[in-house]
Coordinates of all heavy atoms in Angstrom, one line a residue:
V1 N -12.0 -28.5 0.5 CA -12.4 -27.5 1.4 C -11.2 -26.9 2.2 O -11.1 -25.7 2.4 CB -13.4 -28.0 2.4 CG1 -13.6 -27.1 3.6 CG2 -14.8 -28.3 1.8
M2 N -10.3 -27.8 2.5 CA -9.1 -27.3 3.3 C -8.2 -26.4 2.4 O -7.6 -25.5 2.8 CB -8.3 -28.5 3.8 CG -9.0 -29.3 4.9 SD -9.6 -28.3 6.2 CE -8.1 -27.7 6.9
T3 N -8.1 -26.7 1.1 CA -7.4 -25.9 0.2 C -8.0 -24.5 0.1 O -7.3 -23.5 0.1 CB -7.4 -26.5 -1.3 OG1 -6.7 -27.8 -1.2 CG2 -6.6 -25.6 -2.2
T4 N -9.3 -24.5 0.0 CA -10.1 -23.2 0.0 C -9.9 -22.4 1.3 O -9.6 -21.2 1.3 CB -11.6 -23.4 -0.3 OG1 -11.7 -24.1 -1.5 CG2 -12.3 -22.1 -0.4
V5 N -9.9 -23.1 2.4 CA -9.7 -22.4 3.7 C -8.3 -21.9 3.8 O -8.1 -20.7 4.3 CB -10.0 -23.4 4.9 CG1 -9.5 -22.9 6.2 CG2 -11.5 -23.8 4.9
T6 N -7.3 -22.6 3.3 CA -6.0 -22.1 3.4 C -5.8 -20.9 2.5 O -5.2 -19.9 2.9 CB -5.0 -23.2 2.9 OG1 -5.1 -24.3 3.7 CG2 -3.6 -22.7 2.9
T7 N -6.4 -20.9 1.3 CA -6.3 -19.7 0.4 C -7.0 -18.5 1.1 O -6.4 -17.4 1.1 CB -7.0 -20.0 -0.9 OG1 -6.4 -21.1 -1.5 CG2 -7.0 -18.8 -1.8
I8 N -8.2 -18.7 1.7 CA -8.9 -17.6 2.3 C -8.1 -17.1 3.5 O -7.9 -15.8 3.7 CB -10.3 -18.0 2.8 CG1 -11.2 -18.3 1.6 CG2 -10.9 -17.0 3.8 CD1 -12.5 -18.9 1.9
K9 N -7.4 -18.0 4.3 CA -6.6 -17.5 5.4 C -5.4 -16.7 5.0 O -5.1 -15.7 5.6 CB -6.2 -18.7 6.2 CG -5.4 -18.3 7.5 CD -5.0 -19.6 8.3 CE -4.3 -19.2 9.6 NZ -3.5 -18.1 9.6
E10 N -4.8 -17.2 3.9 CA -3.6 -16.4 3.4 C -4.0 -15.0 2.9 O -3.4 -14.0 3.2 CB -3.0 -17.2 2.2 CG -2.2 -18.4 2.7 CD -1.8 -19.3 1.5 OE1 -2.1 -19.0 0.3 OE2 -1.1 -20.3 1.8
N11 N -5.2 -15.0 2.2 CA -5.7 -13.6 1.8 C -6.0 -12.8 3.0 O -5.8 -11.5 2.9 CB -6.9 -13.8 0.9 CG -6.5 -14.4 -0.5 OD1 -5.4 -14.3 -0.9 ND2 -7.5 -15.0 -1.2
A12 N -6.6 -13.3 4.0 CA -7.0 -12.5 5.2 C -5.7 -12.0 5.9 O -5.7 -10.9 6.3 CB -7.8 -13.4 6.1
D13 N -4.7 -12.9 5.9 CA -3.4 -12.4 6.5 C -2.8 -11.3 5.7 O -2.3 -10.3 6.3 CB -2.4 -13.6 6.6 CG -2.8 -14.6 7.6 OD1 -3.6 -14.3 8.5 OD2 -2.3 -15.8 7.6
D14 N -2.9 -11.4 4.4 CA -2.3 -10.3 3.5 C -3.1 -9.0 3.8 O -2.5 -7.9 3.9 CB -2.4 -10.7 2.0 CG -1.5 -11.8 1.7 OD1 -0.5 -12.0 2.5 OD2 -1.6 -12.4 0.6
I15 N -4.4 -9.1 3.9 CA -5.3 -7.9 4.1 C -5.0 -7.3 5.4 O -4.8 -6.1 5.6 CB -6.8 -8.3 4.0 CG1 -7.1 -8.6 2.5 CG2 -7.7 -7.2 4.5 CD1 -8.5 -9.3 2.4
L16 N -4.8 -8.1 6.5 CA -4.4 -7.6 7.8 C -3.1 -6.9 7.8 O -3.0 -5.8 8.4 CB -4.4 -8.8 8.8 CG -4.1 -8.4 10.2 CD1 -5.1 -7.4 10.8 CD2 -4.0 -9.7 11.1
A17 N -2.1 -7.5 7.1 CA -0.8 -6.9 7.1 C -0.9 -5.5 6.3 O -0.3 -4.5 6.8 CB 0.2 -7.8 6.3
D18 N -1.6 -5.5 5.2 CA -1.8 -4.2 4.5 C -2.5 -3.2 5.3 O -2.1 -2.0 5.3 CB -2.6 -4.4 3.2 CG -1.8 -5.2 2.1 OD1 -0.5 -5.3 2.3 OD2 -2.4 -5.7 1.2
A19 N -3.5 -3.6 6.1 CA -4.3 -2.7 6.9 C -3.4 -2.1 8.0 O -3.4 -0.9 8.3 CB -5.5 -3.3 7.5
K20 N -2.5 -2.9 8.6 CA -1.6 -2.5 9.6 C -0.6 -1.5 9.0 O -0.3 -0.5 9.7 CB -0.9 -3.6 10.3 CG -1.8 -4.5 11.2 CD -1.0 -5.6 11.8 CE -1.8 -6.4 12.8 NZ -1.1 -7.5 13.4
E21 N -0.2 -1.7 7.8 CA 0.8 -0.8 7.2 C 0.1 0.5 6.9 O 0.7 1.6 7.1 CB 1.3 -1.5 5.8 CG 2.3 -0.7 5.2 CD 2.8 -1.4 3.9 OE1 2.8 -2.6 3.9 OE2 3.1 -0.6 2.9
I22 N -1.1 0.5 6.4 CA -1.9 1.8 6.2 C -2.0 2.6 7.5 O -1.8 3.8 7.5 CB -3.2 1.5 5.5 CG1 -3.0 1.0 4.1 CG2 -4.1 2.7 5.6 CD1 -4.3 0.4 3.5
N23 N -2.4 1.9 8.5 CA -2.5 2.6 9.8 C -1.2 3.1 10.4 O -1.2 4.2 10.9 CB -3.2 1.6 10.9 CG -4.7 1.5 10.6 OD1 -5.3 2.3 10.0 ND2 -5.2 0.4 11.1
A24 N -0.1 2.4 10.1 CA 1.2 2.9 10.6 C 1.6 4.2 9.8 O 2.1 5.1 10.4 CB 2.2 1.8 10.4
K25 N 1.3 4.2 8.5 CA 1.6 5.3 7.7 C 0.7 6.5 8.1 O 1.2 7.7 8.2 CB 1.3 5.1 6.2 CG 2.4 4.2 5.6 CD 2.1 3.9 4.1 CE 3.1 3.1 3.4 NZ 2.8 2.8 2.0
R26 N -0.5 6.3 8.4 CA -1.4 7.4 8.8 C -1.0 7.9 10.2 O -0.9 9.1 10.4 CB -2.9 6.9 9.0 CG -3.6 6.8 7.6 CD -5.0 6.4 7.9 NE -5.8 7.6 8.0 CZ -7.1 7.6 8.0 NH1 -7.8 6.4 8.0 NH2 -7.8 8.7 8.1

């Protein structure tokens, strides 16, 4: 479960960083 949670958290962090980058470009 902790491995899965870590993977999900890393993916969420990547998504957040990409979203911030998109908003900065816009």
Side-chain angles (χ1 to χ4, degrees):
V1 168
M2 292 309 295
T3 301
T4 303
V5 167
T6 301
T7 302
I8 291 171
K9 185 177 181 327
E10 288 171 354
N11 288 338
D13 289 342
D14 291 344
I15 290 169
L16 179 62
D18 291 344
K20 286 181 178 180
E21 186 178 326
I22 289 169
N23 283 340
K25 285 180 182 178
R26 283 184 91 173

